[in-house]
Amino acid sequence: MKKLNSSEFRQMFLDFFAEHGHMVMQSASLIPKDDPTLLWINSGVATMKKYFDGSVVPKNRRITSSQKSIRTNDIENVGKTARHQTLFEMLGNFSVGDYFKEEAIPWAWEFLTSPDWLDLDKDKLYVTVYPKDTEAHRIWHEVVGLPESHIVQLEDNFWDIGEGPCGPDSEIFYDRGQENNDVPEDDPENYPGGENARYLEIWNIVFSEFNHLPDGSYVEQPHKNIDTGMGLERVLSILQDAPTNFETDLFLPIIHATEEMSAGKKYGANKADDTSFKIIADHIRAISFAIGDGALPGNTGRGYVLRRLLRRAALNGRKLGIAGAFLYKLVPVVGDIMKSHYPEVSDQAEFISKVIKNEEDRFGVTLEAGLTLLDDLIDKAEKSEDKTISGKDAFKMFDTYGFPYELTVEAAEDKGLKVDKDGFDAEMEAQKERARKARGNLQSMGSQDETLMKIKDKSVFEYGVYEEESQLVDIIVDDKLVDKADGEKATLIFDKTPFYAERGGQVADHGDIYDQEGNLVARVVDVQHAPNDQNLHFVDVILPLVKGQTYKLKIDRARREGLRHSHSATHLLHAALRQVLGEHTHQAGSVVEPDYLRFDFTSLDPITPRELKNVEKIVNEKIWESIQVKTTETDPETGKKMGALALFDGKYIDKVRVVQMDDFSIEFCGGTHCDNTSQIGVFKIISEQAIGAGVRRIEAVTSKLAYEYLAGRSDILDQIQAQVKATKAEDIQSKIASLQEELRSAEKQNAAYKAQINASKAGKIFDQVKTVGDLTVIATIADVKGMNDLREIADQWKSEGKSDVLILGAKSEDKANMLISLGQKALDKGLKAGDLIKSVAAIFGGGGGGRPNMAQAGGKKPEGLQDAIDAAVSQLD
């Protein structure tokens, strides 16, 4: 068996399949792109959906990758078991309609057992197969040579998510020996695939050969696929002879760094501390990678997951005696471990650390409030008959304040109390059910579109062309290939086209199609990409179109020009934001329309007005500098050396376009751009706002629309100038300031008059003192407008000590207000203003409350106000 570190093992896997004709696909971001069904990329195959469902045909149908993934469905088990992790790497090889079982199974065996590769002991390897999959069984036994005793048939070996691609699978297990087992040798679960620690699953090969239809039936797919997944951490634990994943070189450096910050705690000394060390090591890996890919802590979605992970790790740090923020110090350790394949953590270590420290500091404040609530729950449980903290309360501590359930249990046990686990589990399951309903069938990959997939005709998009003679090579009507379009709608493919298909945020070109006689035959209303990357022209048919004939394609020139201006302005905006806010700012989405653009980006803090004006100024300065926009077609590596900012999805593609505006903006981009920045004309930001946790949006206009926007604002300014009677625009601000000062003076004078009136009314009210029992009481409806006036009178009453109790009401057509204020003598009798007002507020259709000495209420039945005052007075005796 080879002794390899994590970097060597990962590279060996990729090298093996590269030698077998696979293209190596770089790990995608943890944040799914154009896939709303997933919160995180949770497997290698999650990044292959577009290939397996047929929406895109890869240039090489053999693909291999090491994909970083996050799963948090069983976060409570992290640190308690040998294998559970939130962040993990899935090694995989994939065939999109190319090879199948005959190649996939022997290759897996070769990689695992060949002396040139992992060289694992063959006697320690077992496989499981689906009972009806006789072909897989035959290959394992007759081709690979695995003895029957090492092949286990299991009914569960069928990968099916309800709808979409599915099929039997074959899992490979490594026998770690009975000495490493957690069940007796004669236990019924002690077999490969059973619930035990002896047989470790290391690889799963899915033979995706069927399509599960909505009606429940299974049909063969037009193309059979291979989808495999090998857990890097699991296999590494074998190669490094580690009892669990956490004793490998992926985790131990983090654990050792945590030891140094703890209060003398050591990994391996006791089980409780080990659990905390593992949780911290796992969670800081997930947090670091997720933030590096653009996610930020928040209250919903991905942000909530990050916040929960961070708080759980921080709480376990406190268990180890670590005071204050500490997780951010572990980011460089994570980056150093992973930098050979994932340099992004080290490259962004400063930003990632800042985000984590900010969140840790915030949690420190929240934690104090949470601990106070926990003390209240313990006090409540101690007074209860069953001495139990309810499951609902425990779940609130977990869900709202980030307290792991076990922490609440520990605090309760210290006081001799219990926690209702069944109630907690019920609340947890209810939350999961709500999440499941919200997600729907999120795992579905959809069905392959065989019509579009089988179209292989070449279609070339030509940049910089506005009209072109082109042959119509394919016509699709009602999802079928036809030779003639003679209806209202059709989808067309031409051998070459000037029409840009929507991609990268830039919307599609529109335009017209003419026949050889110059007749308008169709209008192009949209253009999208086909699975084999042809441009699909969605058209409204005017006259019949015939396959094989030549037509003139003519795009809407004004629309294209607007798109070019907006797209180049988007690049300038992105560069300006990174210059003003910092290079950690990332694009999070964009929409490029003619003369309008929308740009989403990551930012922890709101942008100040000064920063926003600076961004706008920089963009316009670059427009005024008349920078030549240079576009270069090259390979990805050369583009990176040029300094291009990589935002494109297909990192493995052979050719890319680099759009460069001096050294200010250099990006990979397949969109259309202007020739010179001066063509943009004007750039104006019209709005900036937060659209999610750590994500903000700028909307801006360019060219003609920018002029019209500014002209409209100028018209408004002219109107304001006229209204305030300013001689010129420059005098508007001083004129408004003068008017505001006049208004403030008038308001002060009005308030003084109002106070005099209220004082006069108060004098009359204070003359109406009566005795109730041994208390002096003033209780009446005052001739005032509302609660503010009542409070003013109450303040005067308090300062003059006119009675022991004040009960006042005020009413209008549809509103009623009441105020009760108590002096010391009434308080000494045990009266409480809040209780009094709550007991009578319903009489005038309201509710209220307050402190023992003063309370207020509002209602919608002024006709009941006097009855309420009388009821309150009756309770004084």
Side-chain angles (χ1 to χ4, degrees):
M1 180 171 64
K2 295 287 179 67
K3 297 293 183 181
L4 304 172
N5 63 34
S6 54
S7 296
E8 292 169 338
F9 169 47
R10 185 189 299 111
Q11 192 59 50
M12 179 180 283
F13 180 89
L14 298 175
D15 288 345
F16 175 85
F17 283 101
E19 289 188 13
H20 287 80
H22 292 62
M23 65 180 179
V24 178
M25 186 172 178
Q26 293 185 25
S27 178
S29 168
L30 286 167
I31 300 175
K33 181 177 174 62
D34 299 326
D35 187 353
T37 67
L38 291 177
L39 195 62
W40 302 100
I41 290 298
N42 57 13
S43 62
V45 73
T47 66
M48 305 289 168
K49 279 187 178 183
K50 58 187 176 183
Y51 305 132
F52 285 139
D53 68 16
S55 58
V56 176
V57 175
K59 294 185 177 179
N60 185 340
R61 291 179 176 271
R62 298 183 179 189
I63 306 170
T64 186
S65 68
S66 179
Q67 175 61 47
K68 54 189 174 183
S69 307
I70 283 182
R71 293 181 191 171
T72 57
N73 53 312
D74 49 4
I75 184 177
E76 294 78 17
N77 290 323
V78 173
K80 297 180 178 180
T81 70
R83 315 293 167 200
H84 273 98
Q85 294 156 220
T86 53
L87 178 92
F88 60 94
E89 286 182 76
M90 190 62 77
L91 300 169
N93 59 289
F94 307 91
S95 167
V96 184
D98 186 60
Y99 61 83
F100 204 48
K101 300 175 187 178
E102 294 82 0
E103 294 85 5
I105 292 174
W107 283 344
W109 188 253
E110 179 187 359
F111 178 71
L112 290 172
T113 64
S114 170
D116 295 329
W117 301 102
L118 292 190
D119 196 21
L120 296 183
D121 186 345
K122 297 177 183 179
D123 292 337
K124 293 186 177 182
L125 294 175
Y126 292 77
V127 302
T128 59
V129 296
Y130 184 57
K132 295 180 181 178
D133 190 0
T134 56
E135 180 66 5
H137 187 283
R138 182 191 66 80
I139 296 172
W140 279 117
H141 182 53
E142 298 179 8
V143 178
V144 168
L146 202 62
E148 288 284 1
S149 60
H150 282 233
I151 302 175
V152 180
Q153 297 188 26
L154 293 178
E155 286 289 342
D156 289 340
N157 277 60
F158 193 93
W159 188 80
D160 190 351
I161 54 176
E163 287 184 23
C166 60
D169 63 81
S170 192
E171 297 171 325
I172 305 174
F173 293 82
Y174 183 84
D175 183 2
R176 296 183 68 94
Q178 182 58 31
E179 65 275 13
N180 295 306
N181 211 349
D182 58 350
V183 299
E185 191 163 8
D186 58 354
D187 192 285
E189 286 293 319
N190 191 27
Y191 65 90
E195 292 294 328
N196 63 80
R198 173 176 177 174
Y199 297 101
L200 179 63
E201 181 193 342
I202 59 175
W203 207 341
N204 185 19
I205 308 172
V206 178
F207 310 114
S208 184
E209 53 188 306
F210 301 108
N211 197 19
H212 190 170
L213 300 180
D215 64 5
S217 62
Y218 292 83
V219 297
E220 285 199 22
Q221 288 206 97
H223 302 288
K224 293 178 171 60
N225 305 316
I226 289 291
D227 156 26
T228 79
M230 171 189 274
L232 180 145
E233 296 83 3
R234 290 185 172 210
V235 180
L236 194 64
S237 70
I238 296 171
L239 299 177
Q240 296 184 359
D241 195 23
T244 76
N245 295 358
F246 293 94
E247 284 79 34
T248 66
D249 65 356
L250 291 171
F251 294 91
L252 278 179
I254 306 172
I255 291 173
H256 294 326
T258 307
E259 285 178 326
E260 294 176 6
M261 292 185 282
S262 71
K265 302 283 187 176
K266 292 296 179 183
Y267 185 66
N270 69 72
K271 187 175 181 180
D273 287 347
D274 286 356
T275 297
S276 293
F277 278 118
K278 290 173 183 177
I279 288 171
I280 292 167
D282 170 84
H283 288 8
I284 190 60
R285 278 167 35 98
I287 295 164
S288 297
F289 271 93
I291 294 173
D293 281 350
L296 292 170
N299 292 323
T300 59
R302 282 183 282 271
Y304 175 77
V305 172
L306 280 188
R307 181 160 285 168
R308 181 182 171 197
L309 289 173
L310 192 147
R311 291 182 173 188
R312 192 167 188 260
L315 285 168
N316 277 277
R318 283 166 171 75
K319 288 185 179 182
L320 297 175
I322 304 175
F326 74 98
L327 291 169
Y328 73 98
K329 299 176 183 178
L330 298 173
V331 174
V333 182
V334 176
D336 190 57
I337 295 169
M338 308 297 287
K339 64 184 178 183
S340 65
H341 196 70
Y342 303 99
E344 55 264 34
V345 174
S346 290
D347 292 346
Q348 301 180 77
E350 183 178 351
F351 171 69
I352 296 170
S353 299
K354 178 184 176 183
V355 174
I356 293 174
K357 187 176 188 304
N358 286 347
E359 189 68 17
E360 284 190 275
D361 290 341
R362 288 179 60 187
F363 180 47
V365 177
T366 303
L367 184 61
E368 294 305 317
L371 290 172
T372 300
L373 284 176
L374 186 59
D375 289 341
D376 290 343
L377 293 183
I378 289 173
D379 183 59
K380 177 181 174 182
E382 286 178 331
K383 295 176 182 178
S384 67
E385 291 185 7
D386 57 1
K387 307 296 182 186
T388 300
I389 294 175
S390 73
K392 188 172 184 178
D393 286 338
F395 182 76
K396 182 178 179 181
M397 291 296 298
F398 161 77
D399 191 47
T400 305
Y401 294 96
F403 272 70
Y405 171 75
E406 59 268 22
L407 191 68
T408 302
V409 171
E410 290 170 12
E413 289 177 345
D414 288 344
K415 299 290 185 179
L417 304 170
K418 297 179 294 181
V419 179
D420 176 14
K421 188 174 189 309
D422 290 341
F424 177 86
D425 290 342
E427 293 288 333
M428 178 69 78
E429 186 56 37
Q431 186 196 58
K432 289 180 179 179
E433 182 60 28
R434 288 192 295 271
R436 279 193 289 269
K437 288 180 179 179
R439 289 195 302 268
N441 185 18
L442 300 185
Q443 300 294 325
S444 178
M445 286 189 183
S447 301
Q448 297 172 347
D449 188 329
E450 190 173 0
T451 300
L452 291 177
M453 287 179 66
K454 69 183 182 182
I455 298 176
K456 304 294 178 62
D457 297 308
K458 191 174 183 181
S459 177
V460 178
F461 167 66
E462 300 195 345
Y463 286 91
V465 178
Y466 291 86
E467 58 182 81
E468 186 160 35
E469 297 277 342
S470 183
Q471 184 183 26
L472 179 56
V473 294
D474 290 291
I475 303 174
I476 303 104
V477 176
D478 295 332
D479 297 324
K480 295 179 181 178
L481 284 167
V482 297
D483 293 330
K484 185 177 181 179
D486 197 8
E488 293 181 357
K489 304 285 184 183
T491 305
L492 313 176
I493 297 177
F494 294 88
D495 64 348
K496 54 186 176 181
T497 179
F499 283 87
Y500 180 84
E502 183 174 348
R503 180 174 280 178
Q506 180 176 327
V507 299
D509 283 326
H510 292 176
D512 300 321
I513 300 174
Y514 299 86
D515 63 17
Q516 291 300 295
E517 286 74 42
N519 298 309
L520 178 64
V521 295
R523 293 194 181 281
V524 179
V525 296
D526 193 17
V527 189
Q528 298 292 330
H529 287 271
N532 285 294
D533 211 33
Q534 303 98 335
N535 283 19
L536 291 170
H537 304 71
F538 294 83
V539 303
D540 292 335
V541 178
I542 297 172
L543 295 175
L545 295 103
V546 179
K547 179 179 177 180
Q549 289 191 1
T550 299
Y551 294 90
K552 178 179 282 189
L553 310 184
K554 189 175 181 179
I555 68 172
D556 182 335
R557 190 182 187 99
R559 178 181 173 86
R560 166 66 73 83
E561 288 302 306
L563 289 167
R564 295 173 72 200
H565 300 158
S566 292
H567 206 151
S568 295
T570 302
H571 283 220
L572 292 175
L573 173 60
H574 190 191
L577 284 167
R578 289 169 64 85
Q579 180 174 311
V580 173
L581 303 181
E583 293 190 0
H584 59 268
T585 302
H586 293 293
Q587 178 176 337
S590 69
V591 173
V592 178
E593 297 269 4
D595 296 332
Y596 163 85
L597 62 93
R598 190 179 78 205
F599 190 81
D600 299 341
F601 59 98
T602 58
S603 179
L604 287 177
D605 305 308
I607 299 180
T608 66
R610 176 177 292 183
E611 288 172 333
L612 198 61
K613 287 184 180 296
N614 193 16
V615 167
E616 184 178 84
K617 180 174 180 254
I618 290 170
V619 173
N620 280 297
E621 285 175 344
K622 296 304 174 183
I623 293 171
W624 302 331
E625 288 177 17
S626 299
I627 301 171
Q628 200 68 23
V629 180
K630 181 182 178 183
T631 302
T632 305
E633 186 173 287
T634 184
D635 62 272
E637 287 304 314
T638 302
K640 290 178 183 177
K641 291 176 182 177
M642 292 170 64
L645 195 63
L647 298 174
F648 58 91
D649 188 28
K651 298 179 181 179
Y652 58 88
I653 57 181
D654 299 326
K655 292 294 181 182
V656 294
R657 288 170 62 85
V658 178
V659 177
Q660 185 171 3
M661 304 173 200
D662 282 346
D663 293 332
F664 181 70
S665 172
I666 309 174
E667 291 190 22
F668 290 109
C669 182
T672 63
H673 289 269
C674 55
D675 301 316
N676 190 289
T677 59
S678 63
Q679 295 171 343
I680 300 170
V682 183
F683 173 85
K684 179 62 185 173
I685 294 174
I686 59 175
S687 72
E688 190 277 332
Q689 61 181 325
I691 60 169
V695 181
R696 306 191 69 82
R697 171 173 292 169
I698 283 177
E699 294 182 284
V701 288
T702 61
S703 302
K704 180 183 177 182
L705 205 59
Y707 164 76
E708 291 173 348
Y709 176 83
L710 292 170
R713 305 281 280 195
S714 180
D715 289 342
I716 294 172
L717 192 63
D718 291 342
Q719 294 171 23
I720 294 172
Q721 182 179 338
Q723 288 172 348
V724 300
K725 295 182 174 60
T727 305
K728 52 187 178 180
E730 290 79 2
D731 297 332
I732 291 176
Q733 286 180 297
S734 61
K735 190 70 175 177
I736 291 175
S738 177
L739 290 171
Q740 287 176 329
E741 183 57 38
E742 291 178 15
L743 179 61
R744 281 192 291 269
S745 178
E747 287 174 343
K748 287 181 181 178
Q749 191 174 28
N750 183 53
Y753 289 147
K754 187 177 179 181
Q756 290 176 10
I757 293 170
N758 284 341
S760 175
K761 292 178 179 179
K764 295 177 181 179
I765 291 171
F766 295 162
D767 291 338
Q768 303 177 40
V769 180
K770 59 183 178 182
T771 302
V772 178
D774 60 347
L775 297 174
T776 55
V777 180
I778 296 173
T780 186
I781 295 178
D783 181 20
V784 295
K785 290 185 177 181
M787 188 59 72
N788 288 337
D789 291 343
L790 292 181
R791 282 196 291 263
E792 196 170 292
I793 294 172
D795 288 341
Q796 188 176 344
W797 169 84
K798 185 176 181 180
S799 65
E800 296 182 12
K802 291 292 185 179
S803 66
D804 299 319
V805 178
L806 177 68
I807 303 174
L808 292 180
K811 61 181 179 179
S812 59
E813 291 182 1
D814 58 351
K815 291 183 181 179
N817 293 105
M818 175 182 278
L819 180 146
I820 297 178
S821 191
L822 303 181
Q824 191 59 49
K825 186 174 180 180
L827 293 172
D828 291 343
K829 287 175 64 69
L831 294 173
K832 293 182 180 180
D835 292 345
L836 280 171
I837 210 158
K838 286 179 183 177
S839 68
V840 301
I843 299 173
F844 58 93
R851 303 183 302 276
N853 64 328
M854 200 277 277
Q856 61 189 45
K860 297 181 179 180
K861 296 180 180 178
E863 66 274 10
L865 192 56
Q866 185 60 57
D867 291 341
I869 291 174
D870 295 341
V873 171
S874 69
Q875 297 183 51
L876 300 176
D877 191 359

